[in-house]
Amino acid sequence: MADGAGSLEAKIESLLNLEKQMRQVGDVAGTRKAATDILQLCYEAGAWQTLNEQILLISKRRGQLKQAVQAMVQQAMQYIDQTPDIDTKIELIKTLNSVSAGKIYVEIERARLIKKLAKIKEEQGHIAEAADLMQEVAVETFGAMAKTEKIAFILEQVRLCLDRQDYVRAQILSRKISSRVFEADPSKEKKKTKEGESIVEEAPADIPSLLELKRIYYQLMIRYYSHNNDYLEICRCYKSIYDIPSVKEDSAQWIPVLRKICWYLVLSPHDPMQSSLLNSTLEDKNLSEIPHFRLLLKQLVTMEVIQWTTLWGTFENEFANEKEMLGGSLGEKAAEDLKLRNILVVSKYYSRITLKRLADLLCLTVQETEKHLSDMVVSKALVAKIDRPPGLICFQAAKDSNDILNLWSSNLEKLLDLVEKSCHQIHKETMVHKAALKMEGCLVIGSGGVLCLVEGAEPDSGRLEWVTDFSCPFSLWPLPHASVSS
């Protein structure tokens, strides 16, 4: 055993001398070969402590070439899974982590090492420590790392933050990933590297595809939004998962997702985004495969008051059979949202209504109705005023005197514009009618004794009695004042 240890030390010493010679003359290939051979000798001999010592020694040598350090780190990373126990593995990872710290040419290797160490800490139950380790690395600044590997690393950071219930930091980390990155076509992104640009490394084999990462991302966001009971955002996340091609092709996958989309649409508060999602979901042809949910959404689209007891009696069993529904008491939440929706529906049909009548329409007591209405007014979801002595509700906003005057002025302007346009049309019709009458005439001399402006007109064959006939010779008539007669 002592002879084996002495032989190992002698071989390492000779290789260290060779590495020194190669390093001093600037031989990159020779220095890299000598460093990796030293690590290989330690690995084959099972001397893990010596391996850690030699890694630190070689990396700290004066003027050490970065290619040699990079090759040494990459070589040692292959030995991590071959370690005899967990303590040896952690020690080797920490050694490599200390060597690669602050060196940009081994930043990818350092990120992978920290990910391995965080996984070990998580398996040991130290989730907070694992999350702190992962947050030390900002992979979004790594130019040479593959895009899918970056996304997978950030998603792992988000997952650990959610596991330790650090929702603020989880939201900050999730914003590093844009949803548009999942819509890119990976085949079109492959292009030749220009001279001077950093070469992007290929992602490891254990990194999921871009579409699978999209599913993981939205599943994590569902966990985050369920903490705040933001059902509309949960619905949008399920909608994005539903649009993944692999999910749409398999009915066993898209049917549960589509059911959850429908449920969370029911739970979401009424606003323009919810209405848009509701209408787009109703237009989906796959909804015909689950007719109960189509009927449910159809009732929501129709602007009619829905009785909660009737609706819940129809869909209670469906809701009870739903799996993995995140959130609190969803049945009570749905009932509350439906009451608010019914108030909005009533406000569209009534400008004034009594509080008792509104309570009857909503199947609530007067006190409950007043409470829900007040909450909606405070949240600015509705404009209403309650006149409590007569119990009258007015859904119209009170208008200021300036607004009323502006409205009158606007109405007068519209009226005057309409009168002006009408006069213009009447004048136009009159002129057209007069022109048509003139064009209908065919006599050169009309009944009024006026020459008509008609082209190609022939003289009238019948002479008018009061017009002189110039076709015969003139007869000589003496002038009354002439002194000589003929």
Side-chain angles (χ1 to χ4, degrees):
M1 190 71 179
D3 294 341
S7 175
L8 176 62
E9 291 178 0
K11 290 179 181 179
I12 291 175
E13 189 66 29
S14 63
L15 285 173
L16 286 175
N17 293 331
L18 178 62
E19 183 270 337
K20 180 179 179 181
Q21 296 173 5
M22 295 297 176
R23 173 167 41 85
Q24 288 177 345
V25 298
D27 188 351
V28 176
T31 307
R32 185 192 301 125
K33 179 72 167 55
T36 53
D37 285 347
I38 292 173
L39 300 187
Q40 185 66 25
L41 283 174
C42 296
Y43 168 69
E44 291 175 353
W48 297 101
Q49 185 64 32
T50 307
L51 176 64
N52 294 330
E53 293 172 357
Q54 293 302 320
I55 291 173
L56 293 173
L57 176 65
I58 296 171
S59 65
K60 292 180 179 179
R61 283 199 154 188
R62 181 181 177 183
Q64 185 60 268
L65 303 176
K66 63 180 183 180
Q67 292 89 344
V69 175
Q70 185 178 19
M72 182 178 61
V73 171
Q74 292 174 352
Q75 177 80 9
M77 286 179 66
Q78 300 177 7
Y79 303 150
I80 293 176
D81 295 332
Q82 310 299 326
T83 50
D85 52 40
I86 192 69
D87 294 332
T88 306
K89 180 183 288 188
I90 293 174
E91 187 65 28
L92 179 57
I93 291 174
K94 287 183 177 179
T95 301
L96 294 174
N97 191 18
S98 63
V99 169
S100 58
K103 298 180 176 65
I104 195 171
Y105 50 88
V106 286
E107 60 184 3
I108 297 178
E109 286 78 6
R110 181 170 182 268
R112 293 169 181 170
L113 287 167
I114 289 179
K115 189 175 180 180
K116 286 179 179 291
L117 185 59
K119 186 177 180 181
I120 294 172
K121 294 294 182 182
E122 185 183 8
E123 291 173 353
Q124 293 177 346
H126 307 303
I127 296 177
E129 189 176 349
D132 292 337
L133 281 171
M134 290 291 288
Q135 290 167 27
E136 292 178 1
V137 186
V139 293
E140 63 273 11
T141 63
F142 294 178
M145 181 178 280
K147 183 173 69 174
T148 53
E149 189 174 2
K150 285 184 188 179
I151 297 172
F153 195 94
I154 295 173
L155 291 179
E156 189 68 14
Q157 292 176 327
V158 174
R159 184 186 66 80
L160 288 171
C161 288
L162 290 175
D163 289 344
R164 69 182 296 187
Q165 298 182 355
D166 189 356
Y167 296 101
V168 175
R169 196 173 297 276
Q171 183 189 23
I172 295 172
L173 291 170
S174 65
R175 288 178 177 175
K176 294 182 179 180
I177 302 175
S178 173
S179 57
R180 290 177 294 180
V181 76
F182 300 114
E183 300 172 4
D185 189 358
S187 61
K188 295 182 180 179
E189 291 184 356
K190 293 182 179 180
K191 57 182 180 179
K192 293 183 179 179
T193 306
K194 296 180 181 179
E195 187 176 355
E197 290 185 356
S198 59
I199 300 174
V200 178
E201 292 188 7
E202 292 290 334
D206 59 339
I207 299 297
S209 64
L210 194 62
L211 292 177
E212 187 62 30
L213 289 172
K214 179 180 180 180
R215 184 204 291 263
I216 297 171
Y217 169 76
Y218 284 110
Q219 287 174 347
L220 291 174
M221 296 313 297
I222 288 169
R223 288 180 57 188
Y224 169 74
Y225 288 123
S226 64
H227 169 69
N228 302 323
N229 292 335
D230 193 343
Y231 299 115
L232 182 59
E233 290 298 330
I234 295 175
C235 178
R236 293 179 64 188
C237 291
Y238 275 116
K239 186 73 173 174
S240 300
I241 294 175
Y242 177 73
D243 292 334
I244 298 175
S246 60
V247 175
K248 273 196 168 182
E249 293 171 0
D250 187 3
S251 60
Q253 295 186 42
W254 65 256
I255 288 179
V257 175
L258 189 57
R259 287 167 61 97
K260 289 183 175 62
I261 291 173
C262 296
W263 280 123
Y264 284 113
L265 276 174
V266 175
L267 296 169
S268 302
H270 183 76
D271 61 4
M273 179 62 73
Q274 189 257 4
S275 300
S276 176
L277 282 173
L278 191 60
N279 290 312
S280 63
T281 306
L282 266 176
E283 294 174 359
D284 194 345
K285 296 180 180 178
N286 289 336
L287 200 61
S288 59
E289 300 290 333
I290 42 178
H292 287 291
F293 290 89
R294 185 178 185 85
L295 177 62
L296 175 64
L297 298 186
K298 199 71 176 176
Q299 288 182 337
L300 290 179
V301 170
T302 307
M303 295 305 291
E304 295 179 359
V305 175
I306 301 175
Q307 300 296 335
W308 167 247
T309 53
T310 306
L311 183 69
W312 185 244
T314 306
F315 294 97
E316 184 177 7
N317 293 331
E318 291 282 351
F319 191 84
N321 295 331
E322 196 65 44
K323 298 179 180 179
E324 299 178 1
M325 285 290 288
L326 302 175
S329 53
L330 301 183
E332 297 177 2
K333 177 68 171 58
E336 292 293 324
D337 289 340
L338 197 62
K339 293 169 187 174
L340 302 182
R341 176 197 172 275
N342 287 339
I343 294 176
L344 287 172
V345 171
V346 171
S347 69
K348 292 184 180 298
Y349 290 102
Y350 289 87
S351 59
R352 301 173 72 189
I353 189 174
T354 61
L355 192 59
K356 186 176 184 306
R357 175 59 179 159
L358 181 60
D360 292 339
L361 289 173
L362 300 179
C363 298
L364 299 173
T365 63
V366 175
Q367 291 77 13
E368 289 176 342
T369 304
E370 185 176 353
K371 178 182 178 300
H372 289 304
L373 186 61
S374 301
D375 292 339
M376 293 184 70
V377 172
V378 170
S379 63
K380 297 182 179 180
L382 184 68
V383 176
K385 281 190 174 182
I386 303 176
D387 191 358
R388 299 191 73 178
L392 193 64
I393 304 171
C394 180
F395 290 111
Q396 292 179 341
K399 294 181 180 178
D400 186 54
S401 58
N402 293 328
D403 295 335
I404 296 174
L405 288 174
N406 291 334
L407 181 62
W408 286 354
S409 175
S410 175
N411 290 338
L412 284 174
E413 287 179 3
K414 290 179 182 178
L415 179 61
L416 292 174
D417 289 341
L418 184 60
V419 170
E420 186 179 355
K421 289 179 181 179
S422 302
C423 293
H424 177 71
Q425 293 294 332
I426 292 170
H427 183 65
K428 179 181 176 182
E429 290 293 330
T430 303
M431 297 300 292
V432 170
H433 187 63
K434 285 182 179 180
L437 289 177
K438 288 181 180 180
M439 295 296 290
E440 288 176 0
C442 61
L443 298 176
V444 175
I445 301 175
S447 59
V450 186
L451 291 175
C452 296
L453 301 175
V454 181
E455 293 182 3
E458 297 292 333
D460 189 16
S461 57
R463 181 176 63 83
L464 299 176
E465 294 180 359
W466 51 272
V467 177
T468 306
D469 187 6
F470 296 104
S471 62
C472 58
F474 291 103
S475 59
L476 299 176
W477 294 89
L479 297 173
H481 58 276
S483 58
V484 181
S485 61
S486 57

